[in-house]
Amino acid sequence: VACFFYVAAAVVRLARFNVEQAGHAKAVFHGLPSPSAGIALASFFPFSQTDFFRLYLSDWKWPSIMIGVMVVLGFLMISHVPYAVVPKFGFRNVRGIVNFVFLVTMTVLAITIPRLFFFLGSMSYVAYGLLKVLFLGFFEKLPEHDPLLDEDPDEAGAELRVIDYGEITPHRRFRIPGYRRRRRGDRRRPNRPDSPPDQKPKEAP
């Protein structure tokens, strides 16, 4: 039952993502991303083979614990709990530099100790969203902006330039000087600067 519920929640999660957020810039994820939930389950077995697990955690009832973890992950995937996306990094401000150092550190840990990093890191990411909802809440402390709105708070106050298309679009069509547009039903030839004025044809004798 737990496995079926997890798979059904993952299907609903992917379908909702395609409807709500696919193809749009994301400030947060609406619910736990399915790759994070999958990494948390798939990395448990390598984590259980480490010395740290055997020394400190092997006495726990892990079959029952993982069933509960699977159900919780399924609920979080179909919930509206906001989860942070990969932070933007750069070298123009302190925040961008801190994000760059954080990403480099996570990459080094993933390469050096993968069996410990992926399970503990994914579970920390899951716990981060739950703790943020439990301790901060959406109703007790309202955020400055909508946490489910797909826009970056740093770019919310960006100046929008108004484009006047009249500057690049001609108001009148280009006309040749002295050229008179022929109207419908007018069979006379247009007057040109170098042509004599129209004359009536002479009658035959």
Side-chain angles (χ1 to χ4, degrees):
V1 173
C3 294
F4 174 79
F5 175 75
Y6 176 84
V7 174
V11 172
V12 174
R13 163 67 191 175
L14 294 175
R16 191 182 69 178
F17 177 81
N18 292 331
V19 174
E20 294 181 351
Q21 290 186 286
H24 300 279
K26 296 172 285 297
V28 293
F29 289 110
H30 303 175
L32 180 66
S34 55
S36 301
I39 291 175
L41 293 180
S43 60
F44 171 72
F45 178 76
F47 174 72
S48 65
Q49 304 302 311
T50 59
D51 297 334
F52 175 81
F53 180 87
R54 294 173 180 176
L55 291 176
Y56 301 102
L57 304 176
S58 59
D59 296 336
W60 294 13
K61 297 181 180 180
W62 283 102
S64 301
I65 292 175
M66 292 308 298
I67 292 176
V69 169
M70 187 177 298
V71 174
V72 171
L73 293 177
F75 275 113
L76 289 177
M77 282 191 293
I78 59 178
S79 68
H80 288 282
V81 177
Y83 277 89
V85 300
V86 178
K88 298 180 180 180
F89 62 90
F91 301 97
R92 296 182 178 180
N93 50 25
V94 179
R95 182 179 179 181
I97 296 175
V98 172
N99 292 338
F100 177 76
V101 174
F102 173 77
L103 293 176
V104 171
T105 304
M106 295 296 102
T107 304
V108 172
L109 293 177
I111 295 174
T112 54
I113 49 174
R115 292 189 297 175
L116 291 174
F117 171 78
F118 284 104
F119 181 77
L120 296 179
S122 58
M123 294 304 297
S124 299
Y125 182 72
V126 172
Y128 165 76
L130 287 176
L131 293 177
K132 185 177 180 180
V133 172
L134 293 177
F135 289 98
L136 297 181
F138 295 111
F139 301 100
E140 297 179 358
K141 183 179 179 181
L142 295 176
E144 297 179 356
H145 65 285
D146 189 357
L148 300 182
L149 187 62
D150 291 333
E151 65 178 6
D152 193 350
D154 297 337
E155 301 177 356
E159 182 181 358
L160 299 178
R161 190 181 68 174
V162 179
I163 300 177
D164 186 7
Y165 291 97
E167 299 178 357
I168 59 177
T169 303
H171 296 281
R172 299 179 180 177
R173 296 183 179 180
F174 178 76
R175 297 181 179 179
I176 302 176
Y179 178 81
R180 186 172 60 88
R181 185 180 180 183
R182 184 171 60 183
R183 298 180 180 178
R184 182 178 298 178
D186 188 2
R187 299 182 179 180
R188 294 181 300 175
R189 300 178 60 185
N191 294 329
R192 296 185 179 178
D194 55 349
S195 61
D198 296 338
Q199 298 178 358
K200 296 182 178 180
K202 295 181 181 181
E203 296 180 357

